[in-house]
Amino acid sequence: MLEYGLMTRSPITLLTGDVGAGKTTLLHHLLDSLETDVIVGMVANAQGDRDAILRWVMLSLDQPSDPRETYVDLFSRFQSFLIDRYAQGQRVVLIFDEAQALSHDALEELRMLTNINSGKDDLVQVILVGQPELRDIVHAPELTQFVQRIGASFHLRAMDATTVAEYIKHRLAVAGAEGEIFSKQAMQLVYDATGGVPRLVNKLCDVAMVYTYSSDRLRVEERTIQQVLEDGLLIGGPASAANNDQLLLDKTWRV
């Protein structure tokens, strides 16, 4: 959907996902695949009024921003920059990471920037990346015009149990592993404990392999995952400590 948004010159593309779902990783994959005629400005954790947002944009494009310049001055230079790049056969893409921190006024300013055109082509595209609440923010009544400019949208969900198992196998294969390093029961418990969030899966599996290595074993079993959880080394998991304790108890009884 990110590629679709760029290809169709969508004014605004929206990507959301929970913390650790892989949004930033996906963004970097996209950046690596872009053609040389695309100029990218990356902005993270931007805050402030419309003047501040425009200064963030100019900074991301390596354009100087004099504190004495007025908003009109900045906007004029930004528009000239876009027209100049367009004349050279280039297009500009602005990516805002952690966009859920943007105010309604800031989002409206971004919409106004996407209105800059050559008469037939829009000169700038905006990609907003943020946590799930960003979807609720952009649907506020005062942002009706903004949401109508969104041409592509996708929510990056956590992995299901089957995908977690394939994900673990894939990462191990890329690292050069041969054979099955994690038992099926271990991979299931990894999913249960992490809710399928990639960042948490990585963390839990890394520690579990250290535990296995330090015990002179060659295979990660369910009991090893249990031990990591009991030792409290999976910080930031979806379940509360009480729920994790119950999960371990249930697993123990089933074994």
Side-chain angles (χ1 to χ4, degrees):
M1 290 304 296
L2 286 174
E3 291 173 343
Y4 171 79
L6 289 176
M7 179 183 67
T8 59
R9 294 183 179 267
S10 165
I12 300 172
T13 297
L14 189 68
L15 173 67
T16 57
D18 289 319
V19 174
K23 301 183 295 298
T24 302
T25 299
L26 190 60
L27 268 184
H28 285 292
H29 175 72
L30 175 72
L31 293 176
D32 290 340
S33 66
L34 290 178
E35 300 293 336
T36 56
D37 64 341
V38 180
I39 298 174
V40 176
M42 176 77 81
V43 182
N45 297 310
Q47 298 183 29
D49 57 17
R50 67 174 190 166
D51 181 81
I53 292 300
L54 190 50
R55 291 183 187 278
W56 277 107
V57 167
M58 297 293 279
L59 181 64
S60 73
L61 296 170
D62 293 326
Q63 297 301 300
S65 174
D66 192 322
R68 294 171 296 180
E69 285 184 290
T70 66
Y71 172 83
V72 174
D73 294 331
L74 285 171
F75 188 88
S76 177
R77 284 206 300 112
F78 177 64
Q79 184 171 250
S80 296
F81 173 84
L82 295 180
I83 293 173
D84 179 64
R85 293 302 181 270
Y86 179 76
Q88 297 180 39
Q90 298 175 312
R91 55 196 176 113
V92 176
V93 176
L94 302 175
I95 300 176
F96 282 77
D97 201 2
E98 300 297 339
Q100 73 279 351
L102 294 173
S103 66
H104 289 181
D105 288 342
L107 291 172
E108 183 60 16
E109 174 63 17
L110 293 180
R111 182 189 70 81
M112 296 296 292
L113 295 184
T114 65
N115 285 334
I116 301 175
N117 60 72
S118 65
K120 62 176 183 177
D121 294 322
D122 293 334
L123 301 187
V124 63
Q125 293 175 262
V126 173
I127 297 177
L128 298 179
V129 182
Q131 296 176 26
E133 56 264 33
L134 177 60
R135 303 182 80 84
D136 296 327
I137 292 171
V138 301
H139 281 91
E142 57 268 38
L143 292 175
T144 299
Q145 294 186 74
F146 177 90
V147 80
Q148 290 177 355
R149 298 285 284 171
I150 298 175
S153 176
F154 188 78
H155 180 67
L156 194 60
R157 302 183 184 279
M159 300 179 287
D160 59 23
T162 301
T163 307
V164 166
E166 293 302 320
Y167 175 73
I168 293 172
K169 293 175 184 177
H170 172 73
R171 284 184 63 101
L172 289 169
V174 170
E178 298 180 359
E180 195 171 83
I181 304 299
F182 281 71
S183 70
K184 292 181 180 179
Q185 293 80 7
M187 291 189 289
Q188 179 61 48
L189 185 51
V190 168
Y191 168 73
D192 292 340
T194 64
V197 176
R199 184 182 297 165
L200 297 178
V201 172
N202 295 345
K203 184 187 300 185
L204 181 52
C205 289
D206 284 347
V207 178
M209 285 191 288
V210 172
Y211 271 44
T212 301
Y213 174 78
S214 64
S215 301
D216 293 324
R217 296 195 300 269
L218 299 177
R219 181 181 170 93
V220 180
E221 302 290 351
E222 183 181 24
R223 66 177 181 273
T224 305
I225 304 297
Q226 289 179 343
Q227 186 61 57
V228 173
L229 296 173
E230 289 172 352
D231 289 348
L233 297 181
L234 182 65
I235 300 173
S240 65
N243 288 337
N244 280 334
D245 289 343
Q246 186 61 49
L247 172 65
L248 292 170
L249 181 61
D250 292 344
K251 284 285 182 180
T252 303
W253 278 110
R254 283 201 292 272
V255 172

mmCIF file of all heavy atoms in Angstrom, residues 193 234 236-247:
data_model
loop_
_atom_site.group_PDB
_atom_site.id
_atom_site.type_symbol
_atom_site.label_atom_id
_atom_site.label_comp_id
_atom_site.label_asym_id
_atom_site.label_seq_id
_atom_site.Cartn_x
_atom_site.Cartn_y
_atom_site.Cartn_z
ATOM 1 N N ALA A 193 3.011 -15.299 24.589
ATOM 2 C CA ALA A 193 3.590 -14.306 25.498
ATOM 3 C C ALA A 193 3.765 -12.933 24.846
ATOM 4 O O ALA A 193 3.773 -11.914 25.545
ATOM 5 C CB ALA A 193 4.938 -14.801 26.010
ATOM 6 N N LEU A 234 11.003 -10.456 29.672
ATOM 7 C CA LEU A 234 10.212 -9.915 28.562
ATOM 8 C C LEU A 234 9.473 -8.686 29.066
ATOM 9 O O LEU A 234 8.324 -8.754 29.505
ATOM 10 C CB LEU A 234 9.226 -10.952 28.024
ATOM 11 C CG LEU A 234 8.393 -10.473 26.819
ATOM 12 C CD1 LEU A 234 9.306 -10.213 25.622
ATOM 13 C CD2 LEU A 234 7.322 -11.471 26.449
ATOM 14 N N GLY A 236 7.562 -5.230 28.601
ATOM 15 C CA GLY A 236 6.777 -4.575 27.572
ATOM 16 C C GLY A 236 5.837 -5.492 26.827
ATOM 17 O O GLY A 236 5.284 -5.116 25.799
ATOM 18 N N GLY A 237 5.640 -6.722 27.371
ATOM 19 C CA GLY A 237 4.710 -7.647 26.746
ATOM 20 C C GLY A 237 3.278 -7.169 26.876
ATOM 21 O O GLY A 237 2.969 -6.311 27.708
ATOM 22 N N PRO A 238 2.371 -7.716 26.053
ATOM 23 C CA PRO A 238 0.979 -7.247 26.055
ATOM 24 C C PRO A 238 0.200 -7.603 27.308
ATOM 25 O O PRO A 238 -0.777 -6.952 27.632
ATOM 26 C CB PRO A 238 0.378 -7.940 24.824
ATOM 27 C CG PRO A 238 1.213 -9.172 24.654
ATOM 28 C CD PRO A 238 2.600 -8.765 25.057
ATOM 29 N N ALA A 239 0.619 -8.644 27.992
ATOM 30 C CA ALA A 239 -0.133 -9.081 29.165
ATOM 31 C C ALA A 239 0.447 -8.469 30.433
ATOM 32 O O ALA A 239 1.617 -8.113 30.504
ATOM 33 C CB ALA A 239 -0.119 -10.602 29.273
ATOM 34 N N SER A 240 -0.380 -8.355 31.455
ATOM 35 C CA SER A 240 0.102 -7.872 32.747
ATOM 36 C C SER A 240 0.896 -8.977 33.423
ATOM 37 O O SER A 240 0.882 -10.130 33.004
ATOM 38 C CB SER A 240 -1.083 -7.485 33.635
ATOM 39 O OG SER A 240 -1.850 -8.638 33.937
ATOM 40 N N ALA A 241 1.594 -8.622 34.507
ATOM 41 C CA ALA A 241 2.375 -9.627 35.226
ATOM 42 C C ALA A 241 1.485 -10.747 35.730
ATOM 43 O O ALA A 241 1.841 -11.933 35.686
ATOM 44 C CB ALA A 241 3.117 -8.966 36.391
ATOM 45 N N ALA A 242 0.285 -10.395 36.179
ATOM 46 C CA ALA A 242 -0.640 -11.414 36.681
ATOM 47 C C ALA A 242 -1.078 -12.359 35.569
ATOM 48 O O ALA A 242 -1.156 -13.580 35.762
ATOM 49 C CB ALA A 242 -1.867 -10.747 37.298
ATOM 50 N N ASN A 243 -1.332 -11.804 34.402
ATOM 51 C CA ASN A 243 -1.731 -12.635 33.279
ATOM 52 C C ASN A 243 -0.601 -13.537 32.828
ATOM 53 O O ASN A 243 -0.818 -14.689 32.441
ATOM 54 C CB ASN A 243 -2.192 -11.767 32.103
ATOM 55 C CG ASN A 243 -3.538 -11.109 32.368
ATOM 56 O OD1 ASN A 243 -4.311 -11.599 33.185
ATOM 57 N ND2 ASN A 243 -3.809 -10.011 31.697
ATOM 58 N N ASN A 244 0.641 -13.026 32.895
ATOM 59 C CA ASN A 244 1.781 -13.858 32.534
ATOM 60 C C ASN A 244 1.926 -15.019 33.503
ATOM 61 O O ASN A 244 2.225 -16.144 33.114
ATOM 62 C CB ASN A 244 3.069 -13.027 32.535
ATOM 63 C CG ASN A 244 3.228 -12.217 31.262
ATOM 64 O OD1 ASN A 244 2.691 -12.601 30.225
ATOM 65 N ND2 ASN A 244 3.957 -11.121 31.335
ATOM 66 N N ASP A 245 1.706 -14.739 34.799
ATOM 67 C CA ASP A 245 1.785 -15.806 35.795
ATOM 68 C C ASP A 245 0.735 -16.880 35.522
ATOM 69 O O ASP A 245 1.003 -18.077 35.631
ATOM 70 C CB ASP A 245 1.587 -15.232 37.209
ATOM 71 C CG ASP A 245 2.784 -14.397 37.651
ATOM 72 O OD1 ASP A 245 3.859 -14.543 37.026
ATOM 73 O OD2 ASP A 245 2.634 -13.609 38.604
ATOM 74 N N GLN A 246 -0.476 -16.435 35.158
ATOM 75 C CA GLN A 246 -1.535 -17.388 34.869
ATOM 76 C C GLN A 246 -1.205 -18.199 33.620
ATOM 77 O O GLN A 246 -1.468 -19.407 33.552
ATOM 78 C CB GLN A 246 -2.869 -16.659 34.664
ATOM 79 C CG GLN A 246 -4.074 -17.585 34.486
ATOM 80 C CD GLN A 246 -4.290 -18.476 35.703
ATOM 81 O OE1 GLN A 246 -4.307 -17.994 36.836
ATOM 82 N NE2 GLN A 246 -4.407 -19.780 35.479
ATOM 83 N N LEU A 247 -0.605 -17.554 32.630
ATOM 84 C CA LEU A 247 -0.213 -18.232 31.407
ATOM 85 C C LEU A 247 0.791 -19.336 31.708
ATOM 86 O O LEU A 247 0.668 -20.462 31.221
ATOM 87 C CB LEU A 247 0.410 -17.214 30.433
ATOM 88 C CG LEU A 247 1.054 -17.768 29.169
ATOM 89 C CD1 LEU A 247 0.012 -18.430 28.284
ATOM 90 C CD2 LEU A 247 1.786 -16.678 28.406
#
